[in-house]
Amino acid sequence: MRFVDRREFLKTASSLGIAALGTRALDAFAQDVLNIGVVHQFPIGEVGWETQQALGWKAVEAAFGGKVKVTAVADVQQAQDAERVFRELASRGNKLIFGTTFSQMAPMLKVARALPGTHFDCCASVSTTSNMGAFEARNYEATYLAGVIAGRMTKSNVLGWVGAFPIPQVLWRLNGFMIGAHSVNPKAVCNVIWINTWSDPAKEKDAVAALVSQGADVLAGSPNTPVQGIAAEERGAWSIANCSDFSRFVPKRQLTGDILDWRSAYVDSVRDQLAGKWKAQDRFRGLGEGGFCTMAPYNPAIPAEVIDDVKKREADIIAGKLKVFAGPIKDRDGKQRVAAGASMPDKEIRSTNWVIGGVNGAFPKS
């Protein structure tokens, strides 16, 4: 594996020149090794979104060993830089290139259409083309289970949610959380504070303090750092992790968490590429073997009967017996979103722009 940051990668590309890049590409094709590129939007830390993505390509290295060579480029935050990096990776003989986030979709689509001989996969993309696939997590299944726990553990019947941005991927998690809570505690409400960032420790701490002052005793949300859980623990509130397991930072008051697991997304795509049968797919997976999400360990303070209930529901979700977005469902304005006896289609889930009843808080423009 070769790991570089954006500046180093682009500087090297510029100094090599087009002719040198062409030679490198030919050398790569001549080797009996699949060259794979991965472009991270932000640096890779101990936990969080990019860390979970990195576990995906590390699983590829573990699964295929010397058959693959991974080049991971981190901290590619701007769309124009992402486009340059995608092109450079393709020029260097990387036949399969991964993007780690929705914001890379547009530049990846542009490059994929210009380079039909290279295959691409983009996490959280809502578009595909003949040589570009997508993968996304049904993590509302995990937040539903976390909501069941929150609904049982709350004493105040007030839950709190620290929201990053009011986009579909966040709103369907929030709705799943409240559907789970309401299934065991119809009196539960959830107060939401939007901080309009994926990571800002000061804003996260302020949001947690405000929510606790409003009576929230179980905190969940979408920022992907341990800050929220740490702040909740300091105030005696429970928390639910997002993206990664934060229990080593929140050892006492983390109840569980909805964890993203992209390993099968990377491994399956690479396996198909090696076998010569890769094709663009739009993969939308939840809990279960080969899925894209899982649950963090359960806090021993959770009663055994609650954990048994959650595990039964998880098994039913995996078996297809339990649909999180099964009707009747109304939004907080009273509009019916899912009729009784029906379940919400994936297309509607993935374009969610509403919240269910019991969710309190203004919604800024995303």
Side-chain angles (χ1 to χ4, degrees), residues 53-253:
Q53 296 285 342
L55 292 175
W57 55 258
K58 289 178 181 179
V60 165
E61 293 181 320
F64 303 108
K67 295 180 180 180
V68 300
K69 179 181 178 182
V70 177
T71 297
V73 186
D75 201 19
V76 185
Q77 298 187 27
Q78 302 301 318
Q80 61 268 30
D81 285 341
E83 180 180 341
R84 288 182 63 197
V85 173
F86 291 143
R87 289 184 186 277
E88 295 293 355
L89 285 168
S91 297
R92 299 185 190 200
N94 291 278
K95 300 301 292 181
L96 179 60
I97 299 172
F98 292 91
T100 63
T101 181
F102 170 81
S103 66
Q104 294 174 342
M105 177 186 70
M108 179 174 278
L109 276 170
K110 183 177 179 180
V111 175
R113 288 167 177 153
L115 301 173
T118 303
H119 294 156
F120 298 84
D121 253 324
C122 188
C123 184
S125 173
V126 296
S127 298
T128 61
T129 189
S130 60
N131 62 325
M132 175 178 156
F135 53 100
E136 179 64 277
R138 297 180 186 270
N139 44 355
Y140 60 83
E141 294 179 349
T143 57
Y144 167 87
L145 299 178
V148 171
I149 294 173
R152 291 292 194 192
M153 296 297 288
T154 180
K155 301 299 183 183
S156 64
N157 291 330
V158 180
L159 311 177
W161 184 277
V162 180
F165 299 94
I167 59 175
Q169 290 90 339
V170 173
L171 296 179
W172 76 49
R173 291 182 61 250
L174 172 57
N175 284 339
F177 179 69
M178 281 307 293
I179 290 170
H182 281 162
S183 73
V184 296
N185 184 353
K187 296 180 180 179
V189 298
C190 184
N191 295 341
V192 180
I193 292 179
W194 299 98
I195 62 173
N196 294 308
T197 179
W198 294 113
S199 178
D200 187 317
K203 288 184 177 180
E204 291 179 62
K205 290 177 182 178
D206 289 346
V208 168
L211 289 166
V212 171
S213 72
Q214 295 168 11
D217 58 359
V218 182
L219 280 294
S222 47
N224 50 40
T225 74
V227 172
Q228 176 182 318
I230 294 170
E233 183 163 289
E234 291 173 349
R235 290 164 174 78
W238 299 108
S239 70
I240 293 166
N242 164 54
C243 190
S244 293
D245 178 12
F246 301 145
S247 58
R248 58 181 156 148
F249 304 98
V250 191
K252 297 178 181 179
R253 305 290 294 185

Side-chain angles (χ1 to χ4, degrees), residues 39-45 48-55 100-101 243:
V39 181
H40 290 268
Q41 184 179 22
F42 296 109
I44 301 171
W49 179 272
E50 301 296 352
T51 302
Q52 299 307 117
Q53 296 285 342
L55 292 175
T100 63
T101 181
C243 190

